[in-house]
Amino acid sequence: MLKNTSLQYGNHTCISYSKRLLVPRGSFVLGSMKALTRGQHHVLELPSLQTISQVENRPKYYGREFHGIISREQADELLGGVEGAYILRESQRQPGCYTLALRFGNQTLNYRLFHDGKHFVGEKRFESIHDLVTDGLITLYIETKAAEYISKMTTNPIYEHIGYATLLREKVSRRLSRSKNESRKTNVMNEEHTPVEKISSLVRRAALTHNDNHFNYEKTHNFKVHTFRGPHWCEYCANFMWGLIAQGVRCSDCGLNVHKQCSKHVPNDCQPDLKRIKKVYCCDLTTLVKAHNTQRPMVVDICIREIEARGLKSEGLYRVSGFTEHIEDVKMAFDRDGEKADISANIYPDINIITGALKLYFRDLPIPVITYDTYSKFIEAAKISNADERLEAVHEVLMLLPPAHYETLRYLMIHLKKVTMNEKDNFMNAENLGIVFGPTLMRPPEDSTLTTLHDMRYQKLIVQILIENEDVLF
């Protein structure tokens, strides 16, 4: 038996010398090789032509699997028909472009290979070529051997019909009916006061469906590619997720875990979990109200109550700015304490700090109250010269707003109407408030200074119309 001159590369065998070597059947083999079958091993005959020492200009992020500029035919010959074997090569036609040549299903598959700090051929990114190939082989095997089964995975989902959702529905419903302070706790106590931990997103959703106090605002799931540690199953089709990394997607708001292909079929019924909502400001409006099970963001309700209690007659209300540092303090108080935040006159005697905090909340929304999808329609409505037709057009666009956005805008306009009713004291009419709140409540989808400047008068007009006609429009 010839001496083994192979080098180990992770769990694979990396070949670099012109010798004969026995490798266990089923191994993934790197390097140039020709294979014969003998007993329970692959006998690899290694030619001296393509040894690693002869490869020049090898990229620093590739190892001994790189074989330089060779053709597809040469790569196919070097792989020798061994299943799972692979090499990297540089394109003859496009120098500087690299290809992964991989043997699978009795054929050589060629993939354009990229590197941006991590290796990838598609969406998934890997620390090493070893991991990329391992994940690729797993995926190819699953998709080849179970293609028909995979295609039927989403036809009979368990999404709304899982047993433990029914068993825990009453317990979770009781949890949600408690005060909001208690709802922040992560454990649910059963009748014997035994904690039931880690209530899944499906259980929470099943309970909320039967909770009369729940505000049924539709919300899409915020799915992001996720790598699961250990075996994990899809909460839509109940099948296991496969792959080495990025096996599926997880909703960052409610924690729902599903296959990427299943995520396309999940309904827009995301129920955000409070423990996943890290802050109040800069949080999506619908996400926040669903997480707290309220009609409107708590910031809006609390600030408006405080302003109406002691500030409606304040001169220049909403136009005069408060101290930036104090406004940031209010923001941090809401992010830290939520509805327990103290913004009373004892802490912040200047009402302009509270109005500033409310305006900052609206400015920090990732999606404005008047959403990007409806922005252009509102601008077009504002350009209509006939007052009655313009009012009708504005009303039609209002109906396109998401429910949580509509309710928040309605509540704010009722409040601003009260502000204008005290114009003799605060000198703030609908037009003045339109100037203040126009760019705060609506922003163009594209980040263009020119567009913003051009649309400012229409933004002002829209808010002015909403205030003056709030009893008609809402």
Side-chain angles (χ1 to χ4, degrees), residues 328-398:
E328 286 294 327
D329 288 343
V330 174
K331 173 183 176 180
M332 287 190 291
F334 277 115
D335 283 341
R336 181 183 63 248
D337 304 324
E339 63 182 8
K340 292 182 179 180
D342 186 358
I343 61 171
S344 64
N346 294 331
I347 307 298
Y348 302 103
D350 183 3
I351 196 64
N352 297 311
I353 295 171
I354 309 306
T355 59
L358 180 59
K359 289 187 293 182
L360 179 62
Y361 171 76
F362 288 129
R363 287 198 301 271
D364 280 354
L365 285 173
I367 300 176
V369 175
I370 293 178
T371 61
Y372 294 126
D373 291 340
T374 60
Y375 178 86
S376 61
K377 294 182 177 64
F378 272 109
I379 296 298
E380 290 304 314
K383 294 178 180 180
I384 298 174
S385 56
N386 183 279
D388 291 337
E389 293 179 3
R390 182 172 58 213
L391 193 63
E392 182 63 30
V394 170
H395 181 263
E396 289 179 2
V397 184
L398 275 175

Side-chain angles (χ1 to χ4, degrees), residues 7-14 30 130-131:
L7 300 175
Q8 290 301 312
Y9 184 81
N11 294 325
H12 303 330
T13 304
C14 179
L30 300 167
H130 170 96
D131 290 345

Side-chain angles (χ1 to χ4, degrees), residues 46-64:
L46 311 178
S48 58
L49 177 63
Q50 282 297 118
T51 59
I52 296 301
S53 60
Q54 294 176 349
V55 177
E56 298 179 355
N57 300 321
R58 182 179 69 197
K60 62 182 180 180
Y61 41 82
Y62 294 143
R64 292 181 173 86

Side-chain angles (χ1 to χ4, degrees), residues 168-349:
L168 295 179
R169 180 174 294 140
E170 291 185 3
K171 296 176 183 177
V172 181
S173 295
R174 287 199 300 271
R175 173 196 182 201
L176 291 168
S177 64
R178 295 173 184 171
S179 67
K180 295 170 189 175
N181 295 337
E182 289 180 329
S183 69
R184 290 178 179 274
K185 297 178 181 179
T186 57
N187 293 339
V188 176
M189 305 300 291
N190 64 10
E191 293 177 358
E192 291 77 23
H193 304 288
T194 303
V196 181
E197 300 179 350
K198 297 183 179 178
I199 301 301
S200 82
S201 56
L202 281 180
V203 176
R204 186 170 59 256
R205 184 176 298 103
L208 286 167
T209 302
H210 294 77
N211 185 10
D212 294 336
N213 297 324
H214 175 60
F215 297 104
N216 278 319
Y217 291 150
E218 183 178 275
K219 182 188 180 308
T220 58
H221 289 271
N222 186 16
F223 285 122
K224 295 181 179 178
V225 176
H226 188 77
T227 295
F228 299 94
R229 303 301 177 190
H232 219 86
W233 58 282
C234 173
E235 293 182 61
Y236 183 81
C237 70
N239 291 286
F240 279 101
M241 302 182 187
W242 59 85
L244 192 64
I245 69 168
Q247 303 95 330
V249 294
R250 168 176 288 175
C251 176
S252 59
D253 293 333
C254 71
L256 184 69
N257 303 314
V258 297
H259 290 111
K260 184 178 179 181
Q261 57 267 44
C262 289
S263 67
K264 301 173 184 177
H265 302 277
V266 176
N268 297 332
D269 63 350
C270 176
Q271 175 56 43
D273 191 349
L274 270 176
K275 65 184 178 181
R276 296 180 180 275
I277 308 301
K278 305 300 182 183
K279 52 189 176 181
V280 173
Y281 279 67
C282 302
C283 178
D284 173 69
L285 193 153
T286 303
T287 299
L288 187 68
V289 298
K290 285 184 72 71
H292 289 273
N293 194 26
T294 58
Q295 283 185 291
R296 297 171 297 273
M298 69 176 78
V299 179
V300 177
D301 282 1
I302 295 173
C303 286
I304 287 180
R305 281 200 302 267
E306 191 68 23
I307 294 165
E308 292 185 354
R310 61 184 174 98
L312 285 178
K313 297 182 183 297
S314 177
E315 183 176 341
L317 189 66
Y318 286 112
R319 178 176 55 80
V320 178
S321 300
F323 288 109
T324 302
E325 292 182 2
H326 293 167
I327 292 173
E328 286 294 327
D329 288 343
V330 174
K331 173 183 176 180
M332 287 190 291
F334 277 115
D335 283 341
R336 181 183 63 248
D337 304 324
E339 63 182 8
K340 292 182 179 180
D342 186 358
I343 61 171
S344 64
N346 294 331
I347 307 298
Y348 302 103

Side-chain angles (χ1 to χ4, degrees), residues 72-250:
R72 288 192 174 201
E73 293 72 20
Q74 288 175 299
D76 191 45
E77 182 181 356
L78 291 170
L79 289 172
V82 179
E83 287 290 287
Y86 68 96
I87 63 172
L88 305 185
R89 64 183 180 85
E90 185 172 0
S91 173
Q92 289 181 319
R93 298 179 180 179
Q94 295 178 291
C97 296
Y98 304 98
T99 298
L100 166 67
L102 170 67
R103 287 293 300 181
F104 182 83
N106 297 318
Q107 61 180 323
T108 300
L109 306 176
N110 291 276
Y111 298 94
R112 180 76 176 274
L113 190 61
F114 302 91
H115 184 269
D116 62 356
K118 291 187 177 182
H119 305 278
F120 63 100
V121 296
E123 293 181 350
K124 295 185 180 182
R125 281 163 165 71
F126 301 84
E127 296 290 344
S128 68
I129 296 295
H130 170 96
D131 290 345
L132 185 152
V133 172
T134 302
D135 183 84
L137 288 171
I138 293 172
T139 302
L140 286 169
Y141 185 86
I142 293 291
E143 292 180 349
T144 300
K145 302 297 182 181
E148 183 178 357
Y149 182 78
I150 293 172
S151 66
K152 296 179 179 179
M153 284 195 314
T154 59
T155 59
N156 188 29
I158 58 127
Y159 189 64
E160 295 292 352
H161 309 285
I162 54 175
Y164 65 84
T166 303
L167 293 174
L168 295 179
R169 180 174 294 140
E170 291 185 3
K171 296 176 183 177
V172 181
S173 295
R174 287 199 300 271
R175 173 196 182 201
L176 291 168
S177 64
R178 295 173 184 171
S179 67
K180 295 170 189 175
N181 295 337
E182 289 180 329
S183 69
R184 290 178 179 274
K185 297 178 181 179
T186 57
N187 293 339
V188 176
M189 305 300 291
N190 64 10
E191 293 177 358
E192 291 77 23
H193 304 288
T194 303
V196 181
E197 300 179 350
K198 297 183 179 178
I199 301 301
S200 82
S201 56
L202 281 180
V203 176
R204 186 170 59 256
R205 184 176 298 103
L208 286 167
T209 302
H210 294 77
N211 185 10
D212 294 336
N213 297 324
H214 175 60
F215 297 104
N216 278 319
Y217 291 150
E218 183 178 275
K219 182 188 180 308
T220 58
H221 289 271
N222 186 16
F223 285 122
K224 295 181 179 178
V225 176
H226 188 77
T227 295
F228 299 94
R229 303 301 177 190
H232 219 86
W233 58 282
C234 173
E235 293 182 61
Y236 183 81
C237 70
N239 291 286
F240 279 101
M241 302 182 187
W242 59 85
L244 192 64
I245 69 168
Q247 303 95 330
V249 294
R250 168 176 288 175

Side-chain angles (χ1 to χ4, degrees), residues 370 374 378 391-403 405-406 409-410 413 462 466 469-470 472-474:
I370 293 178
T374 60
F378 272 109
L391 193 63
E392 182 63 30
V394 170
H395 181 263
E396 289 179 2
V397 184
L398 275 175
M399 296 300 101
L400 301 178
L401 289 175
H405 287 246
Y406 177 90
L409 186 62
R410 183 193 68 82
M413 292 304 114
I462 286 296
L466 293 176
N469 301 278
E470 60 84 17
V472 176
L473 292 172
F474 296 96

